[in-house]
């Protein structure tokens, strides 16, 4: 079964009088893997439930292959879903769980057995077919839930945080398994997650939601390298914040000197990967800068290379999360987190060095 | 270690003293009368040699009533099970919020009405010129001449079902409310109808609670005297009526106790099936 496209237009969804989703417009292409990413309460699960039919929208359309399904019940939408809690039927065996959707579609016992056997082999569950669900591990249950969803050959696969209950090691391998199965079968997949890395690794495109609005839609590279708003930048890990005064002329930004910040001249990015500043502010003057702890590095002698923003500071704390040291640096009363492979001691004077390509600038109000 | 076991002694005595009143009550009010009735069923009122004459007499006189009791109670249990699942199922899966709220409010009422009052209600409702036939004839559903009395075996079944369905529905609805709701959602997204979800996905998950509710109802119905006495005071009737008759009219405790032990056996068979099934489920 090849996936189909989904068009969401002006979708408004709410519970009683509280509106959760506001005028959502989104187009999901056939066979595309889209991740809905956002913090708790942003509306990502509500959007998935609207797609699946468990919540009826207040207004707007959800078109699947051109026809509006917004008011149809779940059983008439021909979608498959993997639930966060897996939602397996505990009184059934693995084989019965995987084959139930096929039974509902009126397939013969032979056809069901054939299809279920094929899927159990594909998912590494061939030896567990006759086991009851409560006797399976978390990873095995996850595979059964996936098998049950894949068995029915629905063109659309909905994934509601299916990996959040798994331990870290299994979660990493399952990401790749789900992604490769989706690509092999050509399904259209919509995946809800609050895990940024999971969304980046699995999805063709990421939809970042904030307070019921779409904050940004783009490929993992786009949302990571060119976050369009202060919220997206923070959500994508650019948690260091600095207030700057800038002038802009001919594709170059001039940063004024201020307490602990050296004057610098930085190029503005025209396309991803050209090493320029991600300029999203509407006007020069007072802007808000953001950068990731991994995008900056520390210098001990204060010799700052060209095209870098430099902040003088002092090490106040350090830790070792693995691979690099993580430093807390105090600079002009602000605290910054910086990753650096070199060893510094608490109290050392250092210069935070942020390359133009690692800096994102937004209007103060954004 | 030894110090600990030394200190257990007085504590243990205290515990025994605490439960002693309850144990004595159970002993005097249940174990002794039960033991005495068993002995009395196999002897002549607890005296003389052991024999099965009381059972032979009970079967000879009341075999039709034994069968009648089993049929009535079994049929009622089945209908109660079906209705309780239907009510609890609608409360769990129903989408019309008003209908669900009304049903939730209504279905529990019979729980608070004693059996004897239920029987009295049914007498006025099911009689030939009772409320049910009046409604049916006045609404033109049946001809006045076709009206018939339901105060026979059907009346007993209707009363038992009316009285016991809310109890089982209450237990079953609670169990249904506690199952993982996403297992129902999963059924829906894969295309199952409400009825299939109820029968194939929900009921198997609450089967143990349903069984417990039905067994408790079965036991209660086997022991009710007022309903068969008030609704069906004719032959064949239920064993409780026969027991009351043997004691009140003949002072024949031997046969009455033999009939009582038969009732225990009917309950025991059901309880055995239930225990076997639950052990099987645990082992699976």
């Amino acid at each position: 079964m090849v996936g189909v496209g989904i068009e969401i237009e002006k979708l408004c969804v709410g519970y009683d009088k509280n509106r959760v989703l506001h005028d959502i417009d989104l187009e999901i292409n056939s066979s595309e893997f889209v991740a809905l990413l956002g913090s708790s309460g942003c509306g990502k699960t509500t959007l998935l439930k609207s797609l699946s039919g468990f919540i009826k929208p207040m207004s707007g359309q959800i078109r699947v292959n051109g026809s509006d399904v917004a008011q149809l019940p779940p059983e008439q939408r021909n979608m498959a879903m993997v639930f966060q809690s897996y939602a397996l039927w505990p009184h059934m065996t693995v084989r019965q769980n995987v084959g139930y959707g096929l039974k509902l579609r009126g397939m013969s016992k032979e056809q069901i057995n054939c299809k279920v056997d094929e899927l159990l082999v594909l998912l590494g569950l061939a030896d567990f077919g006759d086991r009851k669900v409560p006797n399976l591990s978390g990873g095995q249950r996850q595979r059964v839930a996936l098998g049950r969803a894949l068995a029915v050959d629905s063109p659309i696969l909905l994934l509601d945080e299916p990996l959040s209950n798994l331990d870290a090691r299994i979660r990493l391998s399952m990401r790749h398994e789900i992604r490769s199965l989706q690509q092999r079968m050509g399904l259209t997949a919509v995946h809800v997650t609050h895990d940024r890395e999971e969304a980046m690794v699995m999805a063709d495109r990421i939809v970042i939601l904030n307070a019921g609005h779409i904050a940004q839609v783009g490929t993992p590279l786009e949302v990571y390298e060119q976050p369009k708003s202060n919220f997206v930048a923070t959500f994508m890990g650019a948690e260091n914040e600095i207030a700057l005064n800038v002038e802009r002329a001919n594709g170059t930004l001039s940063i004024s000197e201020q307490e602990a910040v050296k004057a610098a001249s930085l190029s503005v990015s025209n396309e991803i990967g050209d090493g320029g500043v991600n300029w999203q502010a509407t006007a020069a003057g007072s802007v808000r800068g953001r950068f990731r702890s991994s995008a900056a590095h520390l210098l001990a002698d204060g010799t700052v290379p060209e095209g870098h923003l430099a902040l003088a500071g002092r090490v106040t704390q350090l830790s070792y999360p693995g691979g690099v040291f993580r430093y807390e640096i105090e600079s002009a009363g602000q605290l910054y987190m910086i990753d650096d492979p070199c060893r510094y001691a608490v109290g050392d004077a250092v210069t935070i060095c942020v390359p133009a390509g690692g800096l994102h600038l937004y209007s103060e109000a954004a | 270690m030894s110090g600990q076991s030394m200190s257990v002694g007085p504590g243990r005595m205290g515990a025994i003293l605490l439960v002693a009143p309850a144990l004595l009550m159970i002993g005097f009010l249940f174990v002794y009368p039960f033991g005495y009735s068993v002995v009395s069923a196999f002897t002549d009122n607890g005296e003389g040699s052991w024999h099965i004459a009381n059972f032979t007499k009970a079967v000879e006189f009341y075999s039709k009533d034994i069968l009648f009791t089993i049929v009535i109670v079994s049929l009622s249990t089945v209908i109660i099970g079906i209705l309780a699942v239907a009510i609890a199922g609608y409360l769990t899966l129903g989408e019309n919020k008003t209908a669900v709220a009304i049903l939730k409010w209504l279905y529990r009422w019979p729980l608070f009405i004693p059996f004897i009052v239920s029987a009295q209600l049914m007498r006025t409702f099911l009689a030939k010129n009772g409320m049910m036939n009046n409604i049916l004839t006045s609404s033109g559903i049946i001809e006045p001449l076709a009206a018939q009395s339901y105060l026979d075996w059907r009346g007993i079944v209707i009363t038992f079902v009316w009285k016991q369905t809310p109890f089982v529905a209450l237990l079953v609805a609670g169990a249904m409310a506690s199952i993982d709701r996403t297992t129902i959602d999963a059924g829906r997204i894969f295309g199952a109808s409400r009825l299939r979800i109820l029968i194939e996905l929900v009921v198997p998950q609450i089967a143990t609670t349903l069984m417990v509710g039905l067994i408790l109802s079965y036991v209660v119905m086997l022991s009710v005297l007022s309903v068969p006495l008030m609704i069906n005071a004719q032959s064949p009737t239920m064993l409780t009526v026969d027991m009351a008759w043997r004691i009140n009219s003949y002072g024949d405790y031997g046969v009455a106790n033999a009939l009582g032990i038969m009732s225990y056996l009917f309950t025991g068979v059901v309880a055995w099936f239930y225990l076997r099934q639950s052990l099987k489920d645990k082992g699976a």
Side-chain angles (χ1 to χ4, degrees):
Chain A
M1 176 67 77
V2 178
V4 294
I6 305 170
E7 291 158 8
I8 299 169
E9 195 180 311
K10 299 248 171 288
L11 190 75
C12 294
V13 185
Y15 301 98
D16 297 324
K17 284 176 185 168
N18 301 320
R19 193 175 280 199
V20 178
L21 294 176
H22 310 263
D23 289 327
I24 299 288
D25 288 310
L26 180 65
E27 206 165 308
I28 299 169
N29 300 320
S30 164
S31 303
E32 190 180 24
F33 196 121
V34 167
L36 305 178
L37 182 64
S39 44
S40 296
C42 69
K44 56 189 189 299
T45 300
T46 304
L47 181 53
L48 193 82
K49 283 188 171 176
S50 308
L51 275 175
S52 58
F54 292 118
I55 298 177
K56 285 208 172 134
M58 291 167 159
S59 61
Q61 289 196 336
I62 299 169
R63 287 192 294 274
V64 175
N65 238 0
S67 54
D68 186 15
V69 299
Q71 299 303 322
L72 290 182
E75 53 269 33
Q76 290 174 22
R77 295 198 181 192
N78 196 21
M79 295 179 184
M81 188 161 173
V82 179
F83 293 81
Q84 187 176 9
S85 64
Y86 313 134
L88 298 173
W89 300 301
H91 56 287
M92 293 187 190
T93 62
V94 168
R95 178 172 285 282
Q96 287 167 331
N97 264 283
V98 175
Y100 187 70
L102 303 173
K103 189 174 142 192
L104 291 174
R105 280 155 180 76
M107 286 173 75
S108 70
K109 266 192 178 170
E110 290 73 31
Q111 286 173 311
I112 294 174
N113 282 336
C114 187
K115 179 89 185 179
V116 170
D117 284 339
E118 192 184 304
L119 276 164
L120 293 184
V121 169
L122 183 74
L123 294 163
L125 291 167
D127 296 333
F128 301 95
D130 295 322
R131 271 208 202 168
K132 284 232 172 140
V133 168
N135 302 331
L136 298 175
S137 69
Q140 287 164 342
R141 286 181 200 196
Q142 213 281 338
R143 283 194 172 86
V144 177
L146 188 60
R148 182 177 67 176
L150 296 176
V152 291
D153 274 340
S154 293
I156 297 168
L157 177 64
L158 306 176
L159 302 149
D160 183 11
E161 304 200 41
L163 306 178
S164 60
N165 289 335
L166 297 177
D167 66 56
R169 198 173 53 85
I170 299 172
R171 194 158 59 223
L172 292 182
S173 66
M174 283 309 293
R175 282 177 188 172
H176 296 285
E177 279 186 41
I178 292 175
R179 175 63 167 151
S180 64
L181 279 169
Q182 177 268 334
Q183 283 179 321
R184 201 187 315 171
M185 297 178 147
L187 302 171
T188 305
V190 182
H191 176 82
V192 162
T193 181
H194 58 265
D195 185 329
R196 176 163 52 99
E197 193 186 310
E198 189 176 297
M200 299 281 288
V201 170
M202 295 175 80
D204 294 312
R205 276 194 306 153
I206 296 175
V207 178
I208 297 176
L209 288 152
N210 179 29
H213 296 274
I214 290 180
Q216 189 172 345
V217 183
T219 62
L221 188 68
E222 284 166 358
V223 293
Y224 190 81
E225 295 293 341
Q226 289 195 328
K228 299 277 183 210
S229 66
N230 191 41
F231 170 81
V232 177
T234 315
F235 197 80
M236 296 309 288
E239 290 190 356
N240 291 309
E241 185 178 16
I242 182 170
L244 295 169
N245 259 308
V246 297
E247 294 296 324
R248 188 176 177 185
N250 300 327
T252 306
L253 291 176
S254 301
I255 294 179
S256 316
E257 189 166 324
Q258 61 191 69
E259 190 189 357
V261 178
K262 287 184 180 172
S265 182
L266 308 174
S267 62
V268 174
S269 171
N270 291 317
E271 60 182 71
I272 293 171
D274 65 3
V277 172
N278 173 30
W279 172 261
Q280 299 292 340
T282 48
S286 274
V287 295
R288 191 187 301 205
R290 285 205 164 266
F291 58 95
R292 293 187 180 89
S293 58
S294 58
H297 59 275
L298 298 177
L299 293 171
D301 57 5
T303 320
V304 182
E306 283 267 315
H308 283 65
L309 173 73
L311 294 90
R314 197 167 287 281
V315 176
T316 53
Q317 222 179 73
L318 76 98
S319 60
Y320 185 72
V324 291
F325 291 97
R326 179 155 296 163
Y327 294 98
E328 184 189 76
I329 312 289
E330 191 270 330
S331 171
Q334 278 271 104
L335 293 173
Y336 300 92
M337 300 302 291
I338 307 296
D339 293 345
D340 196 286
C342 299
R343 183 86 193 242
Y344 297 93
V346 171
D348 283 358
V350 289
T351 301
I352 300 170
C353 203
V354 187
L359 188 63
H360 310 275
L361 296 180
Y362 304 96
S363 298
E364 272 296 345
Chain B
M1 193 70 189
S2 59
Q4 273 182 348
S5 59
M6 286 287 282
S7 67
V8 166
R12 209 171 191 179
M13 273 306 289
I16 291 170
L17 281 173
L18 271 174
V19 297
L23 280 176
L24 284 173
M25 291 290 278
I26 292 170
F28 278 120
L29 297 177
F30 176 72
V31 178
Y32 172 71
F34 175 67
Y36 186 79
S37 67
V38 171
V39 171
S40 146
F42 287 98
T43 57
D44 293 321
N45 288 335
E47 291 160 12
S49 59
W50 296 85
H51 56 74
I52 55 163
N54 291 326
F55 287 88
T56 321
K57 203 171 173 184
V59 171
E60 196 182 319
F61 286 5
Y62 301 113
S63 54
K64 267 189 183 171
D65 291 356
I66 293 169
L67 194 65
F68 183 80
T69 304
I70 293 172
V71 169
I72 291 277
V73 174
S74 304
L75 179 65
S76 303
T77 306
V78 170
I79 298 172
I80 289 167
I82 293 167
L83 290 179
V85 165
I87 292 171
Y90 192 78
L91 293 177
T92 311
L93 302 171
E95 289 212 324
N96 185 331
K97 284 182 183 170
T98 316
V100 168
I102 291 171
L103 183 63
K104 202 181 257 180
W105 183 69
L106 269 181
Y107 88 94
R108 294 180 228 197
W109 281 35
L111 269 179
F112 304 100
I113 297 173
F115 269 105
I116 195 157
V117 180
S118 308
Q120 182 56 32
L121 279 172
M122 287 301 166
R123 277 192 71 83
T124 55
F125 186 68
L126 300 173
K128 194 170 182 180
N129 53 353
M131 204 192 302
M132 186 177 77
N133 281 331
N134 285 344
I135 294 168
L136 292 176
T137 47
S138 61
S139 57
I141 295 171
I142 59 167
E143 290 294 318
L145 282 176
Q148 54 173 306
S149 168
Y150 283 84
L151 294 176
D152 49 21
W153 67 273
R154 293 170 298 184
I156 302 179
V157 171
I158 291 169
T159 314
F160 280 161
V161 168
W162 185 81
K163 179 74 183 79
Q164 285 302 110
T165 298
F167 169 70
V168 181
L170 190 74
L171 291 182
V172 170
M176 283 184 185
S178 67
I179 66 171
D180 180 1
R181 184 81 203 177
T182 57
T183 59
I184 296 171
D185 291 345
R188 292 190 70 191
I189 196 121
F190 289 111
S193 65
R194 297 291 162 88
L195 190 64
R196 284 193 86 145
I197 289 174
L198 181 64
I199 294 168
E200 293 178 354
L201 305 180
V202 175
V203 170
Q205 291 191 62
I206 54 94
T208 308
T209 310
L210 178 63
M211 283 288 283
V212 169
L214 291 179
I215 287 170
L216 291 176
S217 285
Y218 181 91
V219 174
V220 166
M221 289 185 293
L222 263 180
S223 60
V224 171
L225 171 67
S226 52
V227 173
L229 207 59
M230 289 179 75
I231 288 184
N232 178 51
Q234 57 203 352
S235 185
T237 188
M238 291 185 70
L239 288 183
T240 46
V241 178
D242 297 330
M243 280 189 260
W245 179 252
R246 294 308 306 179
I247 291 167
N248 294 337
S249 301
Y250 300 109
D252 184 359
Y253 285 89
V255 172
N257 284 328
L259 290 170
I261 285 172
M262 285 178 189
S263 297
Y264 277 125
L265 287 177
F266 303 150
T267 315
V269 168
V270 177
W272 179 72
F273 270 114
Y274 162 66
L275 285 174
R276 203 181 65 154
Q277 188 57 40
S278 58
L279 281 176
K280 219 188 254 177
D281 288 346
K282 273 181 193 162

